[in-house]
Amino acid sequence: MSSKKWMRVAAIVALAVSAASACGPDPQLTKGTPVSSPTASPLERISPQHPAPGDKAPVLDKIKYDLETRVLRMGGMVPKPTSSSCDTDAVGDKPQKFTCTVKYMGIEVPFRVETKGGFIMIQYTATPTKGGVVTREGVHAVAWKQYGALGGKTRDSLRCDDIPAVRLVPVDKPSGYRCYVGDGGLQGSYDVIIGSNGMSLH
């Protein structure tokens, strides 16, 4: 084979290798560990495992129950026991500011609570002061529901970062953890975001 022909063949081979590499999997999308169908899917709606306060229960009990529900939603609807405490004994008809802390899977999630007062109906806002809670089980379940349940290449290529069993992360911002779809029409990386009322992947 002449040197010109050899150079032409070598160039074609190099071009073919380059094209094959370009079509290969994106290394970014092969991070983390595979996600499989959860053995126990989180509930669509979830409440604390202890009885809900009745209509005539103290307002503070209703606030605590609501905050526990919010933390469960942050964690991805994983049904685990919750408890809560506040640094006030009661909520009256005058505006108040106090702190309530929800305990969930060994993590404490504090909220700054502000009531507007009112004799018939007391309105309040509650803001997480140290972040929201993320759980590995919750992320995997949400990722499976959103992507894995679609089946095919999307399901088979679904992966998520190595997420701790539970930890505090920023609220309404990227948590620092991601899930990945390596193949199919939804190919890409998705931030795990913990909102004040739940978990989502974007």
Side-chain angles (χ1 to χ4, degrees):
M1 182 183 295
S2 67
S3 60
K4 286 186 177 180
K5 280 189 175 181
W6 185 89
M7 291 177 62
R8 191 181 306 120
V9 170
I12 292 172
V13 170
L15 183 62
V17 170
S18 176
S21 299
C23 294
D26 182 347
Q28 171 75 13
L29 303 181
T30 59
K31 289 184 176 181
T33 56
V35 176
S36 58
S37 176
T39 54
S41 298
L43 306 174
E44 289 293 330
R45 294 184 179 182
I46 193 168
S47 300
Q49 296 183 357
H50 51 83
D55 292 339
K56 296 182 179 180
V59 172
L60 187 61
D61 289 352
K62 296 179 181 180
I63 290 175
K64 289 162 65 175
Y65 190 86
D66 181 54
L67 295 180
E68 290 179 40
T69 302
R70 287 174 61 177
V71 169
L72 285 167
R73 290 173 180 162
M74 289 179 184
M77 300 289 197
V78 178
K80 300 288 185 181
T82 55
S83 63
S84 57
S85 60
C86 301
D87 60 5
T88 186
D89 295 327
V91 174
D93 58 2
K94 302 294 184 183
Q96 288 176 251
K97 294 181 181 181
F98 52 91
T99 296
C100 290
T101 301
V102 176
K103 292 184 179 180
Y104 176 63
M105 296 178 64
I107 291 287
E108 293 188 347
V109 187
F111 290 84
R112 182 179 65 253
V113 182
E114 297 186 29
T115 66
K116 295 184 177 180
F119 180 72
I120 298 177
M121 180 179 293
I122 295 178
Q123 296 180 322
Y124 76 95
T125 57
T127 306
T129 58
K130 293 185 178 180
V133 63
V134 68
T135 69
R136 181 193 305 123
E137 186 177 351
V139 171
H140 283 199
V142 170
W144 183 265
K145 179 180 178 182
Q146 195 163 329
Y147 303 108
L150 298 176
K153 294 179 179 180
T154 300
R155 173 198 61 207
D156 296 339
S157 65
L158 179 61
R159 307 173 71 88
C160 287
D161 287 336
D162 185 12
I163 299 167
V166 60
R167 71 166 298 174
L168 288 175
V169 295
V171 174
D172 295 327
K173 298 178 181 179
S175 64
Y177 300 107
R178 286 183 171 184
C179 291
Y180 311 91
V181 176
D183 206 349
L186 295 175
Q187 187 181 56
S189 61
Y190 300 89
D191 286 309
V192 177
I193 297 177
I194 304 302
S196 57
N197 282 300
M199 176 192 295
S200 59
L201 298 178
H202 293 291

